[in-house]
Amino acid sequence: MAATSTRKEALERISKVFHDALERMIPAEEDQRLRGETFRDFELQAQEFKAALIPALLEERARLTDSAEVREAGCCPPCGSRQTRWAAAPVQKEIRGPDGVIVLTKQQGRCRSCGRSFSPSGS
Ligand SMILES: [Zn+2]
C-alpha cells in the first residue's frame, strides 16, 4: 500500500488553491477593486473560498493515505475468496460533498468466485 502523492506536493497544491481563492476575495494589489458591497456578498465570497479550498484539501489528504494505492486486489470482501484480479485501470470518481465535488482515484478489484467488484482500499 502506498500514498499517491507526497506531503510536499500536497502542501504545494493546497497552498496554491488557498492563495488563488484568497486573491479572488481580497486582491493584494490596492488598485484592484474589491468585489461586493454587503455583508451577504462577503458571505457568498467566503463560501466560494471554502468551495475552492475544501475539495483540494480532501483530495490531497486522501492521496496521502497508505491505502491510496494497493499492489494486489487482495481478498474479496463479500465472499473472502483470494481469486481476485484488477477489474480495470483505476477510475476517477467524483463525490459530491457539502463543500463541493471531490475527485478521487479508485482501484477496482473483481472476484472470480462470486463475480462482484470491490474497492481493495475499502474506500
Ligand atoms: Zn467474491
Side-chain angles (χ1 to χ4, degrees), residues 76 79 111 114:
C76 170
C79 77
C111 179
C114 72

Side-chain angles (χ1 to χ4, degrees), residues 60-93:
E60 290 305 322
R61 183 59 188 91
R63 289 181 182 132
L64 292 171
T65 60
D66 286 340
S67 61
E69 185 175 85
V70 296
R71 278 192 229 145
E72 296 179 14
C75 292
C76 170
C79 77
S81 171
R82 292 206 61 83
Q83 300 294 317
T84 58
R85 62 177 173 83
W86 293 117
V91 295
Q92 300 288 304
K93 183 167 183 170

